[in-house]
mmCIF file of all heavy atoms in Angstrom:
data_model
loop_
_atom_site.group_PDB
_atom_site.id
_atom_site.type_symbol
_atom_site.label_atom_id
_atom_site.label_comp_id
_atom_site.label_asym_id
_atom_site.label_seq_id
_atom_site.Cartn_x
_atom_site.Cartn_y
_atom_site.Cartn_z
ATOM 1 N N GLU H 1263 173.191 208.378 -178.059
ATOM 2 C CA GLU H 1263 173.782 207.822 -179.288
ATOM 3 C C GLU H 1263 174.044 208.911 -180.342
ATOM 4 O O GLU H 1263 175.064 208.906 -181.013
ATOM 5 C CB GLU H 1263 172.900 206.700 -179.828
ATOM 6 C CG GLU H 1263 172.867 205.469 -179.023
ATOM 7 C CD GLU H 1263 172.037 204.361 -179.626
ATOM 8 O OE1 GLU H 1263 170.859 204.581 -179.937
ATOM 9 O OE2 GLU H 1263 172.589 203.276 -179.875
ATOM 10 N N THR H 1264 173.104 209.809 -180.449
ATOM 11 C CA THR H 1264 173.250 210.841 -181.490
ATOM 12 C C THR H 1264 174.461 211.770 -181.166
ATOM 13 O O THR H 1264 175.226 212.128 -182.109
ATOM 14 C CB THR H 1264 171.945 211.727 -181.556
ATOM 15 O OG1 THR H 1264 170.855 210.865 -181.811
ATOM 16 C CG2 THR H 1264 172.083 212.743 -182.622
ATOM 17 N N ALA H 1265 174.646 212.120 -179.884
ATOM 18 C CA ALA H 1265 175.851 212.943 -179.542
ATOM 19 C C ALA H 1265 177.147 212.226 -179.886
ATOM 20 O O ALA H 1265 178.031 212.843 -180.483
ATOM 21 C CB ALA H 1265 175.817 213.281 -178.083
ATOM 22 N N MET H 1266 177.208 210.952 -179.566
ATOM 23 C CA MET H 1266 178.439 210.225 -179.895
ATOM 24 C C MET H 1266 178.718 210.099 -181.417
ATOM 25 O O MET H 1266 179.817 210.196 -181.878
ATOM 26 C CB MET H 1266 178.523 208.886 -179.218
ATOM 27 C CG MET H 1266 178.698 208.992 -177.694
ATOM 28 S SD MET H 1266 179.094 207.420 -176.908
ATOM 29 C CE MET H 1266 177.446 206.692 -176.911
ATOM 30 N N MET H 1267 177.586 209.888 -182.140
ATOM 31 C CA MET H 1267 177.717 209.838 -183.596
ATOM 32 C C MET H 1267 178.105 211.222 -184.181
ATOM 33 O O MET H 1267 178.878 211.271 -185.149
ATOM 34 C CB MET H 1267 176.430 209.385 -184.187
ATOM 35 C CG MET H 1267 176.190 207.852 -184.010
ATOM 36 S SD MET H 1267 177.407 206.805 -184.810
ATOM 37 C CE MET H 1267 176.969 207.021 -186.525
ATOM 38 N N LEU H 1268 177.557 212.321 -183.592
ATOM 39 C CA LEU H 1268 178.024 213.634 -184.064
ATOM 40 C C LEU H 1268 179.485 213.856 -183.856
ATOM 41 O O LEU H 1268 180.084 214.652 -184.623
ATOM 42 C CB LEU H 1268 177.172 214.703 -183.359
ATOM 43 C CG LEU H 1268 175.768 214.872 -183.808
ATOM 44 C CD1 LEU H 1268 174.952 215.765 -182.801
ATOM 45 C CD2 LEU H 1268 175.638 215.425 -185.205
ATOM 46 N N HIS H 1269 180.013 213.208 -182.881
ATOM 47 C CA HIS H 1269 181.471 213.370 -182.602
ATOM 48 C C HIS H 1269 182.286 212.355 -183.489
ATOM 49 O O HIS H 1269 183.295 212.736 -184.072
ATOM 50 C CB HIS H 1269 181.748 213.045 -181.133
ATOM 51 C CG HIS H 1269 183.234 212.905 -180.808
ATOM 52 N ND1 HIS H 1269 184.151 213.919 -181.009
ATOM 53 C CD2 HIS H 1269 183.992 211.925 -180.298
ATOM 54 C CE1 HIS H 1269 185.354 213.518 -180.660
ATOM 55 N NE2 HIS H 1269 185.283 212.304 -180.237
ATOM 56 N N LEU H 1270 181.824 211.056 -183.553
ATOM 57 C CA LEU H 1270 182.604 210.076 -184.240
ATOM 58 C C LEU H 1270 182.401 209.994 -185.756
ATOM 59 O O LEU H 1270 183.352 209.717 -186.481
ATOM 60 C CB LEU H 1270 182.177 208.681 -183.658
ATOM 61 C CG LEU H 1270 182.568 208.449 -182.167
ATOM 62 C CD1 LEU H 1270 181.860 207.150 -181.701
ATOM 63 C CD2 LEU H 1270 184.065 208.309 -182.022
ATOM 64 N N ALA H 1271 181.182 210.323 -186.165
ATOM 65 C CA ALA H 1271 180.946 210.258 -187.619
ATOM 66 C C ALA H 1271 179.945 211.319 -188.040
ATOM 67 O O ALA H 1271 178.818 210.997 -188.439
ATOM 68 C CB ALA H 1271 180.387 208.816 -187.985
ATOM 69 N N PRO H 1272 180.261 212.586 -187.880
ATOM 70 C CA PRO H 1272 179.301 213.647 -188.095
ATOM 71 C C PRO H 1272 178.655 213.681 -189.458
ATOM 72 O O PRO H 1272 177.486 214.060 -189.610
ATOM 73 C CB PRO H 1272 180.117 214.920 -187.878
ATOM 74 C CG PRO H 1272 181.534 214.541 -187.975
ATOM 75 C CD PRO H 1272 181.600 213.092 -187.522
ATOM 76 N N ALA H 1273 179.359 213.321 -190.496
ATOM 77 C CA ALA H 1273 178.853 213.339 -191.850
ATOM 78 C C ALA H 1273 177.750 212.316 -192.119
ATOM 79 O O ALA H 1273 177.017 212.431 -193.031
ATOM 80 C CB ALA H 1273 179.960 213.131 -192.874
ATOM 81 N N ARG H 1274 177.650 211.356 -191.197
ATOM 82 C CA ARG H 1274 176.690 210.295 -191.389
ATOM 83 C C ARG H 1274 175.392 210.505 -190.575
ATOM 84 O O ARG H 1274 174.473 209.699 -190.684
ATOM 85 C CB ARG H 1274 177.329 208.927 -190.933
ATOM 86 C CG ARG H 1274 178.589 208.636 -191.759
ATOM 87 C CD ARG H 1274 179.055 207.187 -191.522
ATOM 88 N NE ARG H 1274 178.019 206.280 -191.970
ATOM 89 C CZ ARG H 1274 177.936 205.003 -191.482
ATOM 90 N NH1 ARG H 1274 178.764 204.592 -190.541
ATOM 91 N NH2 ARG H 1274 176.996 204.217 -191.938
ATOM 92 N N VAL H 1275 175.335 211.576 -189.850
ATOM 93 C CA VAL H 1275 174.110 211.950 -189.134
ATOM 94 C C VAL H 1275 173.195 212.791 -190.060
ATOM 95 O O VAL H 1275 173.630 213.751 -190.582
ATOM 96 C CB VAL H 1275 174.450 212.702 -187.835
ATOM 97 C CG1 VAL H 1275 173.138 213.126 -187.125
ATOM 98 C CG2 VAL H 1275 175.287 211.878 -186.868
ATOM 99 N N ARG H 1276 171.963 212.320 -190.224
ATOM 100 C CA ARG H 1276 171.024 213.089 -191.073
ATOM 101 C C ARG H 1276 170.443 214.232 -190.205
ATOM 102 O O ARG H 1276 169.467 214.104 -189.518
ATOM 103 C CB ARG H 1276 169.963 212.218 -191.538
ATOM 104 C CG ARG H 1276 170.317 211.315 -192.725
ATOM 105 C CD ARG H 1276 171.439 210.320 -192.466
ATOM 106 N NE ARG H 1276 171.492 209.317 -193.495
ATOM 107 C CZ ARG H 1276 172.371 208.347 -193.603
ATOM 108 N NH1 ARG H 1276 173.327 208.272 -192.676
ATOM 109 N NH2 ARG H 1276 172.376 207.469 -194.566
ATOM 110 N N ARG H 1277 171.101 215.403 -190.198
ATOM 111 C CA ARG H 1277 170.770 216.479 -189.309
ATOM 112 C C ARG H 1277 169.351 217.034 -189.532
ATOM 113 O O ARG H 1277 168.723 217.507 -188.653
ATOM 114 C CB ARG H 1277 171.810 217.579 -189.401
ATOM 115 C CG ARG H 1277 173.183 217.129 -188.952
ATOM 116 C CD ARG H 1277 174.242 218.182 -189.246
ATOM 117 N NE ARG H 1277 175.580 217.646 -189.021
ATOM 118 C CZ ARG H 1277 176.315 217.827 -187.906
ATOM 119 N NH1 ARG H 1277 175.835 218.598 -186.911
ATOM 120 N NH2 ARG H 1277 177.518 217.335 -187.777
#
Side-chain angles (χ1 to χ4, degrees):
E1263 289 183 304
T1264 303
M1266 287 191 285
M1267 287 296 288
L1268 285 169
H1269 171 60
L1270 294 169
R1274 302 190 62 205
V1275 178
R1276 281 61 165 177
R1277 295 171 190 262

